[in-house]
Amino acid sequence: MAKKTNKLKIIPLGGLGEIGKNITVFEYKDDIIVVDCGLTFPEDEMLGIDVVIPDITYLIKNKEKIRGIILTHGHEDHIGGLPYALAKLDLPVYGTKLTLGLVENKLKEHRLDKVNLIEIKASDKIKLGCFTVEIIKTSHSIPDSVALAINTPVGIVVHTGDFKIDYTPINDNLIDLHKFAEIGSKGVLVLLADSTNVERPGYTMSEKTVGDTFNDIFLKAPARIIVATFASNVHRVQQVIDAAELYNRKVIVSGRSMVNTINVAYDLGYLRIKEGTLIDINDMHKYPNNEIVILTTGSQGEPMSALSRMAFSEHRKIELVPEDLVVISASPIPGNEKTVFRVINKLMEIGAKVIYESLADVHVSGHACQEELKLIHTLLKPKFFIPVHGEYRHLKRHGELAMELGMPKENIFIASNGSVIEFTKNSGAINQYVQSGNILVDGLGIGDVGNIVLRDRKHLSEDGLIVVVVTMSKQEGKVIAGPDIISRGFVYVRESEDLMEEAREVVRDVLFECEKRNITDWATLKSSIRDALRGFLYEKIKRNPMILPIIMEV
C-alpha cells in the first residue's frame, strides 16, 4: 500500500479578494498556527453594522491543534478581530512590543484579562509544535512590523505581512533585506506577499518625504493647523510632533483612538515628545492660533470622527475659523472617496484652507509598489507563490508580476478565502475549501445579523413599513375593532388620508371574506391581509412597503 504523504495546508480565512480582515492558517498533521486576526469595516449595504470579522468556524472545530496566533503588526485589519476570536479560543498571542500594547488596550475594552500575550522581537525564533517561526524586521506605516519565515516539515514558507522598502525610515525602522537574502539562499518553498500596491509601478516614496512637506507647510501657515491622519500611523504622528516642535507650536490631540495610540506608543518609547509639547484641549485658549497644532482622527471622513464633527460645527471644544489650515494626511480607502470629499467640501465652506494628497506630498503609502515586490521575490526565489492582502485584481496582477520574474504559471495560486492550498516538497494544489466568510458585528451582537436581517433593513430603509392592527373576538372570530393602519417611512399619513381609508377598506373586505368562509387561523388571515394590501398599494402608487399584520384576540 502506498505511503500517505503528509502535506502542509495553507488556509486563508480572510484578506483574499478584499482589503482587510487578514487571517491565515498553517496546518501540518496535528499542529496549527494562525497568522493575524483582523477586521474590516462594513460596506454601504451592510446597514447598521459596526465591523466585519472573519468566520473562524474551522479554528473552533480544530482548537486542540492550535499552538498560537502570531501578529505581524498592530493595524486594525490584522489585530481587530482578535478579541472576538479570543472570546472563543484560549490561545497564546505572539507579537512585537507595540503590537501587543495596542492589543492589550483592545482586550481591556472587551474585558478579556486572562490572555497569554508573549512579546517577540526581530530575529527571535519561536517553536510552535512542528513549526519554527523566525521573525524578520520590516518597514511599514506603523513601527514594530515584521515578516515571518515559517520552517515547516516540507520547507520554508515566508509571509511578508504588510511592508514597504524604505531606505530612509523614521526611527531606525529599516527592513532587514539581509535576512530575506539569507532565507532565500536556504530555499523558500512558498511565498505569501502583500499585494495592496501591486498596480503601482516604481517605488513607494519614503516616509521622510512627508516630514519635509510638513516642515514646509508649518513654516508658511499663518494660523492654526489641523492634521488628520490614521491614529495607528505612529511615524506620521511623530513627524507632526517634530514639525510642531521645530516651529514652537503646541499640540492638542483629538479623537479617542488617536489619544489611545499616542499614549501606548509614548509609554513604550515609540514616540519622542518634548516636555510641554502636548497640551490639554481645555488650555487651547491660552495660546495664540499660530502656536497651535491639532492632531486628529477622521482622515477617512468617518461621520463620528473628530474632523467630521469640526467640519459640521458639532465638536464640543473646537470651532474652525476661516484662516485655519487643515491637512488630510491619508489617501481615501477605496469606497470612502465620497465621505472624504464631503468633509473637504464642508471644511472649505467654513473658509478653511484644505491640503490633501492630490495637492501635496502629505501622505505616502505603507505598502510596497512593483519594484519593491520584485526585489523581495528575487531575494527569496520561492518555488510557489500565493498573493495575499488584496482584492482579486491585486492578486491577479501580483501573480502576473511573479510570472514576469520567471515563475511558471502553475506554481502561482490565486486563492480565495477558505481555499485549502496543500503543499509537499515538490507540489502544490488547491484541493478543497473550508467554511469562511463574514461575521457581522452590530453593537454587542456577533453574527446574529445575517443576510435575511440585512435584507429586511434594506427593505425598510427603501420602502418603509405599514402595520395593520385588527382586534377579534376569541369566541366568534369576528372583528371587534379596526383595522387600524400605522405607517412609518411609507407616506405622510396626514396628506394621504384617502389612500389610508382605501387601504382600510381593502383589509375590511379581506376580513369579511374570511369570516364568510369561516377562516379563523391567524396565519391565513395575516397572509390574506398582506397579499391584498400589497397588490392594492403597488397598483395605486407603485410602492412595496413591508406589511406587518397584527391580530389581537379579546
Side-chain angles (χ1 to χ4, degrees):
M1 193 175 129
K3 183 168 156 285
K4 183 177 175 289
T5 319
N6 286 310
K7 292 177 180 173
L8 169 72
K9 292 179 183 175
I10 298 179
I11 310 168
L13 291 178
L16 267 61
E18 61 186 351
I19 303 278
K21 82 174 177 47
N22 298 284
I23 175 170
T24 312
V25 176
F26 296 85
E27 179 177 354
Y28 186 84
K29 288 184 9 192
D30 289 331
D31 292 315
I32 286 179
I33 57 171
V34 182
V35 173
D36 291 332
C37 186
L39 56 71
T40 188
F41 293 100
E43 290 164 24
D44 290 349
E45 59 270 21
M46 293 179 180
L47 302 167
I49 298 304
D50 301 324
V51 294
V52 183
I53 56 174
D55 183 338
I56 56 163
T57 306
Y58 184 76
L59 292 179
I60 292 165
K61 280 183 187 162
N62 292 282
K63 59 183 176 194
E64 68 293 333
K65 289 185 180 181
I66 308 173
R67 306 293 162 240
I69 296 183
I70 308 171
L71 305 173
T72 57
H73 64 285
H75 278 155
E76 284 294 314
D77 58 334
H78 293 258
I79 65 168
L82 256 185
Y84 303 100
L86 292 173
K88 298 189 170 175
L89 299 167
D90 180 17
L91 301 171
V93 177
Y94 296 82
T96 50
K97 195 176 186 176
L98 179 62
T99 306
L100 291 187
L102 295 167
V103 165
E104 230 166 328
N105 248 359
K106 288 191 153 316
L107 298 180
K108 269 187 208 135
E109 280 176 24
H110 285 256
R111 298 195 173 90
L112 292 166
D113 48 4
K114 293 195 168 60
V115 180
N116 183 12
L117 299 178
I118 300 158
E119 192 184 310
I120 54 176
K121 55 188 189 303
S123 74
D124 278 1
K125 286 186 178 173
I126 333 160
K127 183 100 175 80
L128 295 167
C130 67
F131 301 105
T132 303
V133 184
E134 192 168 355
I135 313 300
I136 311 165
K137 190 175 186 183
T138 57
S139 310
H140 188 39
S141 51
I142 187 169
D144 255 10
S145 59
V146 295
L148 309 173
I150 305 166
N151 286 278
T152 78
V154 296
I156 298 174
V157 179
V158 175
H159 189 308
T160 64
D162 289 5
F163 79 100
K164 65 193 271 191
I165 296 174
D166 193 339
Y167 299 109
T168 55
I170 310 297
N171 298 356
D172 172 42
N173 215 42
L174 202 62
I175 183 168
D176 191 351
L177 291 174
H178 180 263
K179 181 56 77 181
F180 278 101
E182 190 186 299
I183 287 162
S185 67
K186 292 178 189 168
V188 172
L189 181 72
V190 191
L191 168 64
L192 293 86
D194 175 7
S195 310
T196 313
N197 268 353
V198 70
E199 293 180 328
R200 295 192 192 177
Y203 297 86
T204 301
M205 286 196 308
S206 171
E207 183 65 38
K208 275 256 163 67
T209 55
V210 178
D212 298 340
T213 310
F214 280 161
N215 287 345
D216 201 35
I217 290 169
F218 279 44
L219 173 67
K220 294 171 185 163
R224 198 165 54 170
I225 303 171
I226 295 98
V227 181
T229 189
F230 289 113
S232 60
N233 197 336
V234 177
H235 298 319
R236 194 70 45 84
V237 169
Q238 180 69 67
Q239 297 196 92
V240 173
I241 288 164
D242 289 346
E245 289 175 348
L246 184 63
Y247 295 105
N248 297 317
R249 285 178 179 256
K250 301 292 180 193
V251 178
I252 287 148
V253 183
S254 177
R256 191 173 69 108
S257 57
M258 188 66 85
V259 171
N260 278 348
T261 305
I262 288 178
N263 286 342
V264 170
Y266 181 71
D267 289 347
L268 296 176
Y270 290 91
L271 276 175
R272 298 181 313 276
I273 308 173
K274 287 180 187 163
E275 190 77 35
T277 297
L278 293 184
I279 61 165
D280 190 274
I281 199 163
N282 298 316
D283 295 334
M284 185 164 57
H285 65 278
K286 296 177 184 172
Y287 299 88
N289 271 356
N290 63 355
E291 286 181 21
I292 293 288
V293 176
I294 297 167
L295 191 51
T296 177
T297 53
S299 63
Q300 296 301 307
E302 305 94 319
M304 297 308 293
S305 65
L307 185 67
S308 288
R309 294 204 307 270
M310 289 177 213
F312 290 89
S313 307
E314 290 165 359
H315 198 289
R316 288 207 310 270
K317 305 276 176 73
I318 299 166
E319 191 174 336
L320 295 183
V321 293
E323 57 270 23
D324 283 337
L325 170 65
V326 180
V327 180
I328 297 179
S329 181
S331 58
I333 292 169
N336 288 358
E337 295 86 355
K338 216 156 95 185
T339 48
V340 172
F341 286 115
R342 194 168 121 252
V343 170
I344 290 173
N345 288 330
K346 210 70 193 156
L347 292 165
M348 287 182 168
E349 274 177 37
I350 293 170
K353 186 174 181 222
V354 186
I355 296 177
Y356 46 100
E357 195 190 17
S358 47
L359 303 182
D361 293 334
V362 288
H363 174 66
V364 298
S365 174
H367 300 271
C369 288
Q370 286 177 8
E371 295 307 310
E372 296 150 88
L373 292 169
K374 285 179 186 173
L375 178 55
I376 290 297
H377 278 266
T378 310
L379 288 175
L380 291 172
K381 304 184 288 290
K383 187 172 190 137
F384 299 103
F385 174 49
I386 307 169
V388 294
H389 202 293
E391 293 172 11
Y392 188 82
R393 62 194 166 100
H394 300 117
L395 308 181
K396 190 95 179 91
R397 180 69 194 95
H398 205 167
E400 287 164 10
L401 191 84
M403 277 157 62
E404 287 161 25
L405 295 170
M407 183 176 278
K409 189 177 181 180
E410 59 275 13
N411 288 14
I412 298 163
F413 299 97
I414 311 288
S416 56
N417 293 338
S419 301
V420 180
I421 315 151
E422 295 187 333
F423 293 97
T424 65
K425 286 179 177 158
N426 308 305
S427 67
I430 298 179
N431 285 335
Q432 52 176 325
Y433 292 86
V434 299
Q435 184 174 330
S436 69
N438 294 334
I439 300 289
L440 308 180
V441 179
D442 182 358
L444 293 176
I446 301 164
D448 56 352
V449 174
N451 291 341
I452 292 165
V453 176
L454 283 183
R455 194 184 64 206
D456 284 352
R457 286 182 182 182
K458 191 168 186 291
H459 189 177
L460 287 166
S461 70
E462 289 172 357
D463 303 304
L465 168 72
I466 280 187
V467 182
V468 181
V469 185
V470 182
T471 309
M472 304 183 81
S473 75
K474 206 169 191 171
Q475 274 78 29
E476 297 151 35
K478 285 190 164 50
V479 176
I480 299 172
D484 288 323
I485 292 185
I486 301 154
S487 155
R488 286 288 178 272
F490 168 59
V491 290
Y492 186 50
V493 175
R494 281 185 190 164
E495 288 171 8
S496 312
E497 280 168 359
D498 294 351
L499 179 73
M500 286 301 160
E501 190 42 58
E502 284 179 60
R504 264 194 289 274
E505 205 48 58
V506 168
V507 179
R508 271 192 208 108
D509 290 348
V510 171
L511 292 168
F512 179 67
E513 193 58 41
C514 289
E515 200 177 305
K516 227 163 65 181
R517 288 161 50 197
N518 267 339
I519 296 169
T520 53
D521 82 285
W522 285 16
T524 313
L525 284 172
K526 283 182 178 182
S527 67
S528 305
I529 292 170
R530 207 179 282 120
D531 293 345
L533 201 49
R534 184 180 290 126
F536 164 74
L537 291 170
Y538 190 74
E539 199 180 306
K540 267 303 209 197
I541 57 170
K542 296 283 182 282
R543 289 191 204 163
N544 271 323
M546 185 181 277
I547 298 168
L548 285 184
I550 295 174
I551 298 172
M552 295 187 287
E553 273 190 340
V554 289

